[in-house]
């Protein structure tokens, strides 16, 4: 195969990988953002100041001008474009290591394309590539430094070390673990390859100042995000500590064994191990193979540091680690097909071609699984939650939110247009300019503002005064005391605070009115665990509220509501057990939602 034809094939497959990743992600996009990315939605769409993942806002704005769907959908399509760029970048790395391992231009190109598609079409990648503020951008930044130095150990190459350190700076400012993947990938290439090491040392001697300036330039988005946090009046240390390893939501972190088994699979995992061996045995591929191995090991091990490993959220370093593992698996695919083609057997070339076609099953199966797992989100189940929670609120309602989970849901609803403009959200947790501005917006909120500033919690007098001026809605908070609970009457998922205490009949009537909406929400939440968790929190607080009254009928109704979303909730079980055993409401103070 001539060099010109080989380069044309490489270019065509690179474009195909990029378009496949972006198009598949775009097909999952919906008009309503999913609940698993609530914090990212608020941050990427400008309603939350945070130091990490500052570039998410820029990516979410790429297609904000396009007349397509809602603003949330346009933000999701921006992330899909980032996934397409990641597909192109990963193909470049996989193609480079395949060329260094063996001289097989056509076979190496197809093996690299199959490995790339196996990564970017997998459910984990696709779930993050079609979400506002998804981790696909972070995975792109983790792979970018390695792509820049992919040919650093080749004699004819002149690696752009300035661009490499700039990419490392971008990755480090995006998220610490993303920066670790990028930096260690470059370090592994420079440390393993003799030529690459000599060139890296020469660049440090002759261009240290330029490298430092480019690294600092990469940190500019991070610096701007920190400046915004300070302007918002948020405590910087707490902001840096929050979400530095990614947003877990209802997903889990810890050992990557479950992720490797469930997302990569035994076959692809074994191929990745085989590819690492192939790269180690090929002197030309050893440096880049070491870089891929470093990114894979660090990315997958990020789960121990707190990066989410699924089932609904996946951290950026985890995606980058899986992508690097797939690139190594491409070496195994290439080696197997070459071994069959070179065997002294009848129809060896035909058998090798058949094996290559069979290897296509890996990305096709991954794409099919991705379509299946993203279907509930594409159906807009979060819209049902928003309609039940916020749509039933009275006009000009003030919603007092005392838990960050509900605060993120409210911010995401406001960012995507699911929250009415006449509804005011007041957060009692945290502090800063944003909260003070919300409290100062209405004179009726001044008593609440005073109590939060002086006592850290609202008083009965402040809430009654506010409820007289405007409808007041909140979720029961046990640490505020039982006196406030006597004023609460259910209104959808939350409770309305009445100026005067209410009786059992008022509460029973409100719970009866809520029952049809509960059934509708339970059907939607059954397809989305994040929505079930978000619904269970205020209902768990309601169980504690009605349990304090000692009315068994109300307790039974509230427990049934909670069990529709959390069938084995320990708080509901403890409440029922205490009432059945006759301990009563006096023993419920230590139960917290």
């Amino acid at each position: 195969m001539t060099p010109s034809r080989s380069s044309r094939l490489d270019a065509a497959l690179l474009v195909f990988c990029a378009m496949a990743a972006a198009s598949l992600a775009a097909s999952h996009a919906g008009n309503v953002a999913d609940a698993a990315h609530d914090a990212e939605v608020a941050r990427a769409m400008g309603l939350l100041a945070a130091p990490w993942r500052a570039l998410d806002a820029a990516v979410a704005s790429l297609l904000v001008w396009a007349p397509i769907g809602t603003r949330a959908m346009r933000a999701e399509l921006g992330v899909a474009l980032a996934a397409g760029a990641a597909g192109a970048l990963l193909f470049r790395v996989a193609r480079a290591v395949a060329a260094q391992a063996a001289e097989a231009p056509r076979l190496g190109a197809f093996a690299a394309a199959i490995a790339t598609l196996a990564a970017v079409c997998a459910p984990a990648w696709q779930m993050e590539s079609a979400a506002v503020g998804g981790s696909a951008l972070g995975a792109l930044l983790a792979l970018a430094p390695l792509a820049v130095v992919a040919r650093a150990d080749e004699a004819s190459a002149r690696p752009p070390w300035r661009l490499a350190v700039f990419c490392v700076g971008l990755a480090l400012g995006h998220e610490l673990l993303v920066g670790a993947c990028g930096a260690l990938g470059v370090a592994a290439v420079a440390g393993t390859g003799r030529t690459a090491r000599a060139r890296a040392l020469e660049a440090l001697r002759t261009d240290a100042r330029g490298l430092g300036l480019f690294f600092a330039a990469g940190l500019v988005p991070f610096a701007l995000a920190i400046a915004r946090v300070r302007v918002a009046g948020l405590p910087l240390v707490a902001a840096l500590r929050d979400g530095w390893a990614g947003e877990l939501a209802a997903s889990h972190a810890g050992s990557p064994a479950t992720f490797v088994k469930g997302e990569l699979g035994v076959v692809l995992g074994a191929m990745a191990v085989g590819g690492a061996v192939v790269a180690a045995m090929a002197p030309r591929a050893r440096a880049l193979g070491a870089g891929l191995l470093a990114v894979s090991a660090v990315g997958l091990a990020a789960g121990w540091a707190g990066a989410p490993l699924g089932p609904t959220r996946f951290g950026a370093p985890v995606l980058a680690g899986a992508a690097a593992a797939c690139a190594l698996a491409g070496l195994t695919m290439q080696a197997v097909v070459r071994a069959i083609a070179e065997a002294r057997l009848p129809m060896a070339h035909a058998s090798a071609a058949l094996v290559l076609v069979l290897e296509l099953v890996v990305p096709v199966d991954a794409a099919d699984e991705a379509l299946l797992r993203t279907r509930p989100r594409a159906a807009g189940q979060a819209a049902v939650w928003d309609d039940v929670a916020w749509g039933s609120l009275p006009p000009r309602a003030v919603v007092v939110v005392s838990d960050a989970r509900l605060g993120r849901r409210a911010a995401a609803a406001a960012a995507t247009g699911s929250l009415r403009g006449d509804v005011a959200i007041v957060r009692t947790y945290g502090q800063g300019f944003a909260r003070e501005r919300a409290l100062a917006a209405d004179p009726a909120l001044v008593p609440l503002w005073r109590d939060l500033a002086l006592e850290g919690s609202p008083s009965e007098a402040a809430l009654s005064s506010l409820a007289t001026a405007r409808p007041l809605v909140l979720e029961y908070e046990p640490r505020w005391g039982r006196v406030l609970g006597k004023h609460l009457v259910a209104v959808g998922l939350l409770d309305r605070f009445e100026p005067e205490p209410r009786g059992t009949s008022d509460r029973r009537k409100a719970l009866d009115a809520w029952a049809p909406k509960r059934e509708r929400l339970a059907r939607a939440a059954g397809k989305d665990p994040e929505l079930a968790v978000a619904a269970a929190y205020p209902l768990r607080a309601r169980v504690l509220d009605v349990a304090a009254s000692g009315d068994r009928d109300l307790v039974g109704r509230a427990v049934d509501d909670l069990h529709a979303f959390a069938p084995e909730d320990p708080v509901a079980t403890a409440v029922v057990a205490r009432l059945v055993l006759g301990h009563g409401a006096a023993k419920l103070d230590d139960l917290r939602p």
Side-chain angles (χ1 to χ4, degrees):
M1 193 173 187
T2 62
S4 61
R5 292 182 61 187
S6 175
S7 61
R8 286 198 298 269
L9 177 62
D10 289 352
L13 290 176
L14 183 144
V15 172
F16 178 76
C17 288
M19 292 186 65
S23 300
L24 188 60
S27 70
H28 308 319
N31 283 319
V32 180
D34 65 303
H37 292 79
D38 279 345
E40 282 73 9
V41 170
R43 186 187 64 254
M45 301 183 81
L47 295 185
L48 178 66
W52 305 114
R53 298 175 285 281
L55 289 176
D56 283 343
V59 170
S61 302
L62 287 176
L63 296 176
V64 70
W65 50 268
I68 305 172
T70 62
R71 187 184 172 195
M73 172 176 277
R74 281 170 261 165
E76 291 169 351
L77 293 178
V79 184
L81 292 179
L89 212 65
L90 181 59
F91 174 80
R92 186 178 187 276
V93 175
R95 180 69 187 94
V97 75
Q100 293 165 359
E103 292 292 340
R106 185 179 300 174
L107 173 59
F110 281 113
I114 292 172
T116 299
L117 294 174
V120 297
C121 293
W125 264 85
Q126 286 298 308
M127 292 178 74
E128 294 294 335
S129 299
V132 183
S135 300
L137 175 61
L140 168 65
L141 295 176
L143 294 170
L146 187 62
V148 171
V149 300
R151 300 184 182 276
D153 201 44
E154 297 179 3
S156 59
R158 290 292 182 270
W161 294 108
R162 286 186 173 187
L163 180 58
V165 298
F166 173 75
C167 292
V168 170
L170 277 179
L172 191 63
H174 189 79
E175 195 177 298
L176 284 180
L177 296 175
V178 170
C181 283
L184 292 176
V186 172
V189 171
T192 307
R194 182 179 301 177
T195 303
R197 181 167 58 251
R199 288 173 174 169
L201 292 175
E202 180 183 359
L204 285 174
R205 285 195 308 268
T206 61
D207 193 29
R209 184 177 179 181
L211 294 175
L213 289 175
F214 271 76
F215 179 75
L219 292 174
V220 167
F222 178 60
L224 293 176
I226 288 181
R228 188 182 177 213
V229 168
R230 297 302 298 158
V231 169
L234 300 175
L236 183 58
V237 174
L240 289 171
R241 189 170 55 243
D242 183 31
W244 68 272
E247 293 288 343
L248 277 175
S251 294
H252 69 277
S255 171
T258 304
F259 173 85
V260 173
K261 181 180 179 181
E263 301 297 333
L264 277 180
V266 176
V267 175
L268 203 57
M271 285 185 177
V273 174
V277 174
V278 171
M281 295 176 63
R284 291 179 57 222
R286 193 169 296 151
L288 184 52
L292 286 169
L293 186 60
V295 172
S296 180
V298 174
L300 295 177
W304 278 307
L309 295 168
T312 57
R313 290 301 318 274
F314 298 90
V318 177
L319 296 185
C326 288
L328 289 173
L331 293 181
T332 302
M333 297 178 188
Q334 176 180 255
V336 169
V337 174
R338 283 191 75 225
I340 295 174
E342 294 173 359
R344 296 181 179 274
L345 296 171
M347 303 182 67
H349 284 80
S351 299
L354 180 60
V355 170
L356 186 64
V357 171
L358 288 175
E359 289 173 350
L360 278 171
V361 172
V362 177
V364 171
D365 182 63
D368 183 63
E369 178 67 17
L371 287 171
L372 182 65
R373 286 170 59 177
T374 55
R375 186 177 301 165
R377 182 171 64 187
Q381 305 298 336
V384 178
W385 200 102
D386 289 336
D387 182 51
V388 171
W390 317 121
S392 58
L393 296 178
R396 299 184 64 249
V398 175
V399 182
V400 177
V401 177
S402 58
D403 181 78
R405 285 166 288 191
L406 283 181
R408 289 192 291 266
R409 280 262 73 213
T416 57
S418 300
L419 186 67
R420 299 199 316 267
D422 64 310
V423 174
I425 302 295
V426 177
R427 296 169 178 83
T428 63
Y429 62 90
Q431 56 184 335
F433 175 74
R435 194 184 87 170
E436 305 303 321
R437 182 176 58 183
L439 288 168
D442 191 330
L445 298 176
V446 172
L448 177 60
W449 186 1
R450 181 191 62 238
D451 283 354
L452 291 177
L454 297 178
E455 305 293 337
S457 60
S459 65
E460 182 181 15
L463 293 180
S464 295
S465 173
L466 176 55
T468 302
R470 293 180 64 176
L472 177 60
V473 179
L474 45 78
E475 86 274 10
Y476 177 67
E477 175 57 55
R479 62 187 175 87
W480 293 350
R482 293 184 197 167
V483 175
L484 299 184
K486 297 178 181 179
H487 292 256
L488 299 180
V489 177
V491 53
L493 274 174
L494 302 174
D495 296 301
R496 180 166 180 167
F497 188 94
E498 300 291 349
E500 300 293 336
R502 296 295 178 178
T504 301
S505 61
D506 295 321
R507 292 186 168 195
R508 184 178 295 111
K509 187 182 299 183
L511 289 176
D512 289 339
W514 146 250
K517 295 180 180 179
R518 183 200 72 184
E519 297 300 325
R520 179 188 173 208
L521 182 58
R523 287 193 297 269
K527 303 175 183 178
D528 191 332
E530 303 284 347
L531 294 179
V533 171
Y537 176 77
L539 295 178
R540 187 180 299 115
R542 182 178 294 166
V543 167
L544 294 179
D545 175 30
V546 299
S549 69
D551 188 291
R552 292 175 179 266
D553 180 49
L554 287 182
V555 170
R557 294 183 185 215
V559 168
D560 289 341
D561 290 343
L562 177 56
H563 279 168
F565 303 94
E568 299 180 359
D569 187 81
V571 171
T573 302
V575 167
V576 173
R578 288 180 184 275
L579 292 178
V580 169
L581 294 174
H583 293 308
K587 300 292 185 179
L588 297 171
D589 292 337
D590 58 334
L591 295 176
R592 300 288 298 277

